[in-house]
Amino acid sequence: MKLYKTKKNCGKLLLGILAFCTGMILLTGCGSSSEQKQNKNEETAEENKEEDKVQIGLTVDSFVIERWIRDRDVFVATARELGAEVNVQDAGADVKEQISQIEYFINKQVDVIVVIARDCGALSDAIQKAQSAGIPVISYDRMVNNANTDLYISFDNRKVGEIMAQALVNALPQGGDVFMIQGSSSDNNVQMVKQGFDDMLADTDLHVVYEANCDGWTAELAGYVEEALEKYPHVKGIMCGNDDIASQVVQVLAENQLAGNVVVVGQDGDLAACQRIVEGTQYMTAFKPIEDLARKAAKYAVEMGSGKGVAELEDVTETVNDGTYEIPSCILEPTAVTKENIDKVIIEGGFHRRDEVYLNADYS
């Protein structure tokens, strides 16, 4: 009898344990379900938060050119500080690829598209598609022609040409022959630079005897200068479309024992150009504070993506014709940088470090 009671008690105990375990499993299941629901809600809230951010599509001609890397980094950092997200696409110097990227941004329904154009005359149809989809478009640094973009932000490119010409006039008071090894003929900026350059030289003793364009801004095409030297060996100055082209020009001059004897001017303030200026093989670079440009453009993009009208944007005080339309514009000023002011403008301004600029020259 005693043994039976013990077994009976054990049975009850076993049933109790099983019931307890089942209850715990059910409770755990409920807790897990509640936890999963909470996690899902948090994920949804996070997704909604991301969706609430202004989405910017940035398509860039090519990162082969040094300055676009700097533009991109400052633009993206500024946009993120302002709570936006930037989808950066590298067109790889391919206009068809850039058109595809613009269409990709349209399909993604970004809030605003920023374009550093590969070919200023080939993107108008793609831009108009974006506008038809209700997406504002910013022409960054290079105007997209005949496209009626919502905003254009750049430097005074005509002024760039003027200060290039003035630098040659200052360095060559005796006059002489000049070459123009320009950027891409499909870049609207190149035409504006040329206008400023030609007008400034009109009443001087400097004469342009040779002109060429580096299509697609391909610096290697600056080898044209070799052909020019054969025809005009006594050239006194060379205007280069940018500092990348100037690198190739100076290399050809060095091969002909002329580096430092021919006055070379460029633009952008590339590190290599600044090094050449202190070394004496490049006379001037038209410096454009690209970080200011990138910060302003990012701010405009965030504001426009948030629904702000162009008329409400600060410093958009003029218009520039894109060939068909007058485009609201923000235009920044370039500065001529020579050996005399490179420390103040470039180094003290924080654009390049002193040890980098004077890497191959004495700055003690």
Side-chain angles (χ1 to χ4, degrees), residues 250-317:
V250 170
Q251 183 176 321
V252 172
L253 291 174
E255 291 166 359
N256 288 273
Q257 289 78 51
L258 291 172
N261 296 322
V262 176
V263 179
V264 175
V265 298
Q267 69 165 314
D268 284 345
D270 284 359
L271 176 58
C274 292
Q275 291 170 340
R276 289 192 296 271
I277 287 171
V278 298
E279 293 163 17
T281 55
Q282 181 168 332
Y283 180 72
M284 190 277 294
T285 182
F287 172 64
K288 302 179 295 189
I290 59 177
E291 293 183 355
D292 292 348
L293 185 78
R295 277 191 286 268
K296 271 187 174 291
K299 181 173 178 287
Y300 290 153
V302 173
E303 290 174 344
M304 291 169 69
S306 301
K308 201 169 189 178
V310 175
E312 302 172 80
L313 302 179
E314 187 181 10
D315 296 329
V316 180
T317 56

Side-chain angles (χ1 to χ4, degrees), residues 83-100:
E85 286 297 324
V86 185
N87 184 328
V88 180
Q89 298 288 320
D90 177 5
D94 184 334
V95 67
K96 289 182 180 177
E97 177 62 23
Q98 188 158 56
I99 290 169
S100 295

Side-chain angles (χ1 to χ4, degrees), residues 31-49 51:
S32 176
S33 175
S34 175
E35 221 174 275
Q36 286 173 359
K37 189 174 181 181
Q38 184 180 348
N39 289 340
K40 190 172 182 181
N41 288 339
E42 286 174 0
E43 285 172 11
T44 302
E46 191 62 34
E47 284 172 7
N48 290 338
K49 189 177 176 184
E51 285 177 6

Side-chain angles (χ1 to χ4, degrees), residues 14-196:
L14 181 59
L15 287 172
I17 291 170
L18 286 173
F20 175 77
C21 290
T22 302
M24 289 300 294
I25 289 168
L26 288 172
L27 283 171
T28 303
C30 290
S32 176
S33 175
S34 175
E35 221 174 275
Q36 286 173 359
K37 189 174 181 181
Q38 184 180 348
N39 289 340
K40 190 172 182 181
N41 288 339
E42 286 174 0
E43 285 172 11
T44 302
E46 191 62 34
E47 284 172 7
N48 290 338
K49 189 177 176 184
E50 286 298 316
E51 285 177 6
D52 287 341
K53 289 184 177 181
V54 171
Q55 300 296 317
I56 303 169
L58 172 63
T59 172
V60 183
D61 169 7
S62 168
F63 290 119
V64 170
I65 295 176
E66 176 189 317
R67 69 154 288 193
W68 297 135
I69 298 171
R70 197 164 191 143
D71 287 76
R72 174 202 63 193
D73 292 348
V74 175
F75 183 97
V76 170
T78 304
R80 285 179 177 167
E81 285 171 11
L82 295 171
E85 286 297 324
V86 185
N87 184 328
V88 180
Q89 298 288 320
D90 177 5
D94 184 334
V95 67
K96 289 182 180 177
E97 177 62 23
Q98 188 158 56
I99 290 169
S100 295
Q101 289 170 359
I102 293 169
E103 291 172 346
Y104 163 74
F105 289 144
I106 295 168
N107 291 334
K108 279 189 70 70
Q109 298 180 325
V110 298
D111 297 300
V112 60
I113 298 173
V114 181
V115 179
I116 301 176
R118 172 61 182 176
D119 185 329
C120 296
L123 302 178
S124 57
D125 288 346
I127 300 300
Q128 285 165 10
K129 285 180 186 176
Q131 292 169 325
S132 296
I135 302 172
V137 181
I138 298 174
S139 287
Y140 182 101
D141 192 72
R142 298 171 178 169
M143 175 74 83
V144 181
N145 295 335
N146 309 308
N148 198 22
T149 53
D150 297 85
L151 178 69
Y152 170 54
I153 179 167
S154 188
F155 294 94
D156 187 335
N157 290 290
R158 184 183 175 85
K159 182 75 174 289
V160 169
E162 290 173 357
I163 64 179
M164 283 178 157
Q166 188 61 56
L168 290 175
V169 170
N170 294 344
L172 299 166
Q174 75 282 9
D177 292 343
V178 173
F179 299 162
M180 292 177 70
I181 311 297
Q182 303 163 92
S184 175
S185 57
S186 65
D187 187 335
N188 193 53
N189 289 355
V190 173
Q191 308 308 318
M192 290 190 279
V193 170
K194 177 176 168 54
Q195 288 168 10

